[in-house]
Amino acid sequence: MKETRKYGVLFVCLGNICRSPAAQAVMQHMVDERGLSDRFYIDSAGTGGWHIGDMPDKRMRVHARPRGYELTHHARKVQASDFEDFDLIVGMDAANVDDLRCLAATIEQQDKVLMMGDYIRQFPNYDYVPDPYYEGSEGFELVLDLLEDSCENLLDQIIKHNHISK
Ligand code: 4NP
C-alpha cells in the first residue's frame, strides 16, 4: 500500500498561549471533521519564549470550549527545525510573519511562511488576527471568529493545491 506523507502546518503567534493554540485546535477540528486526520499534522509555536511550557491562556480556553475546541497545547518557541519539519508556517499578524521570515535559513524556507490574514474572507475590516491578550471577552471571540473563517479557507487551498483526499 502506498504510504502518504502527512502535510504539516505550524501556526505561530507571539506568546503561543492565545491565537496560535486556538488556530491549531480550530484547524485540527476541521481536519478531523473532513476525515483527513491521518493526512495532516498541526502544531503551534510562539516567536517569544515567555510562556514556554504553559497551557493556553484561561480566557482563550474558556471562549474556545463552547465552540467545541479543547486547547491542550503547551507553549513552545519556534525553532530552526520547524522550517524543515512543516510544509507551511502561518503567522497571525505582520510582526509574526516578519519575525518568521528573518528566522528562515533559505528562500525556500521563507516561502513556507504565510499570513493568516490573507485567508480571512468574512471580515473585510481584518487582514490579520489581532492579539487579544490585553482585550476583553470580545477580543477572544473575535479571534475565534477570524480563525474559523481563515482556517476553512486555508484548508480548502491546501487540499486543492496538494491534491489531498481521504
Ligand atoms: P498570543 O498572545 O501571541 O496570541 O499568544 C500573547 C500572549 C502573551 C503575550 C503577548 C501576546 N505576552 O506578552 O506575554
Side-chain angles (χ1 to χ4, degrees), residues 19-161:
R19 294 166 290 174
S20 62
Q24 176 185 355
V26 169
M27 188 60 118
Q28 187 67 59
H29 192 266
M30 281 177 190
V31 163
D32 294 346
E33 277 204 322
R34 294 193 196 194
L36 296 171
S37 314
D38 57 357
R39 294 282 174 271
F40 284 89
Y41 58 101
I42 316 287
D43 195 8
S44 66
T47 57
W50 311 283
H51 296 282
I52 289 172
D54 291 354
M55 289 286 289
D57 188 289
K58 179 91 189 289
R59 298 165 295 170
M60 195 77 250
R61 283 187 275 148
V62 162
H63 285 275
R65 192 168 297 126
R67 299 191 192 214
Y69 312 117
E70 287 296 328
L71 273 50
T72 57
H73 180 75
H74 288 265
R76 72 172 181 88
K77 202 172 171 190
V78 177
Q79 54 197 21
S81 57
D82 289 328
F83 289 88
E84 292 163 18
D85 295 343
F86 290 88
D87 297 283
L88 287 182
I89 303 183
V90 188
M92 296 293 128
D93 62 28
N96 304 150
V97 167
D98 284 351
D99 289 345
L100 287 165
R101 294 219 163 107
C102 284
L103 290 169
T106 63
I107 300 286
E108 288 73 24
Q109 292 186 359
Q110 275 190 12
D111 288 344
K112 292 184 174 186
V113 179
L114 300 182
M115 169 69 153
M116 196 57 159
D118 290 343
Y119 297 88
I120 296 171
R121 300 271 186 277
Q122 291 170 29
F123 300 86
N125 293 336
Y126 289 93
D127 57 6
Y128 68 105
V129 182
D131 185 349
Y133 196 65
Y134 297 105
E135 304 295 330
S137 291
E138 43 332 308
F140 288 87
E141 290 296 324
L142 173 65
V143 165
L144 290 162
D145 287 342
L146 294 172
L147 291 176
E148 286 180 333
D149 179 21
S150 52
C151 277
E152 187 100 54
N153 297 316
L154 175 60
L155 183 56
D156 285 343
Q157 291 295 316
I158 294 171
I159 288 170
K160 191 168 147 193
H161 287 127

